[in-house]
Amino acid sequence: MAAKPAAAKPAAGIDIGINEKDRAKIVEGLSHLLADTYTLYLKTHNFHWNVKGPMFNTLHLMFEAQYNELALAVDLVAERIRALGYPAPGTYSEFAKLTSIPEPVGVPKAEEMIAQLVEGQEAVVRTARKMFPVVDAANDEPTADLLTQRMQVHEKTAWMLRSLLEA
């Protein structure tokens, strides 16, 4: 993972049983997770607006449900960063530096949208999974719980999207 943004300074006086060095490492990972989640939200919302073809209604509604869920998720991740005493990244430029999810080029066909969203959902899972060694070492159960819940949602969503691509 890349280094945390230079502007991210911890709040003083936090004593939650996780030392500042471990909190900084956790926040670094959560910042990547936040960027991936927000980028996937934006991509999903974009595809909701621009999907067309014989699966239009199904995909339009499915993408809407997915971006609404992602909108709630970004708040959960950002609030965990704040609870750990750091500012949450919140600009497009910060997210662009932190995300592992590429932006779409143009307006892809419906099947390519689905394939890109599968890749995005799986990327979020990988980002979350990478965090467990530091989270476990710091005994940060709230973050571990958040990561587990996010992984469950993204794995299920990837499966549902992937099912649309099967013959």
Side-chain angles (χ1 to χ4, degrees):
M1 290 184 197
K4 71 176 184 260
K9 294 195 166 78
I14 293 178
D15 184 11
I16 59 172
I18 303 171
N19 68 50
E20 198 223 308
K21 182 179 176 186
D22 287 340
R23 284 188 292 115
K25 287 181 192 175
I26 294 165
V27 165
E28 179 183 342
L30 286 172
S31 295
H32 286 275
L33 182 66
L34 179 60
D36 278 357
T37 304
Y38 195 88
T39 303
L40 183 58
Y41 160 81
L42 189 59
K43 182 180 261 192
T44 305
H45 210 153
N46 173 14
F47 290 171
H48 163 79
W49 291 328
N50 291 300
V51 70
K52 58 186 179 181
M55 294 192 298
F56 168 80
N57 195 50
T58 299
L59 294 178
H60 186 73
L61 294 172
M62 178 184 265
F63 294 166
E64 182 177 17
Q66 290 172 3
Y67 78 68
N68 282 326
E69 194 283 328
L70 289 162
L72 297 173
V74 295
D75 216 36
L76 295 172
V77 177
E79 288 175 355
R80 183 65 192 147
I81 292 170
R82 295 298 298 134
L84 290 168
Y86 285 81
T91 66
Y92 289 127
S93 61
E94 287 175 298
F95 291 153
K97 291 175 191 171
L98 294 167
T99 190
S100 68
I101 298 173
E103 288 186 339
V105 177
V107 179
K109 295 197 177 300
E111 284 196 2
E112 178 58 24
M113 288 177 175
I114 297 166
Q116 286 188 33
L117 293 178
V118 168
E119 291 170 10
Q121 295 286 341
E122 291 174 345
V124 176
V125 172
R126 289 190 302 273
T127 298
R129 193 176 305 281
K130 281 189 235 178
M131 292 183 59
F132 273 98
V134 69
V135 168
D136 288 343
N139 295 316
D140 184 358
E141 290 83 3
T143 300
D145 184 53
L146 174 64
L147 295 173
T148 300
Q149 290 179 39
R150 296 309 313 148
M151 289 169 59
Q152 288 174 332
V153 169
H154 292 288
E155 287 177 358
K156 183 176 181 178
T157 303
W159 157 63
M160 291 179 159
L161 288 164
R162 207 177 304 107
S163 295
L164 294 169
L165 297 174
E166 294 177 3

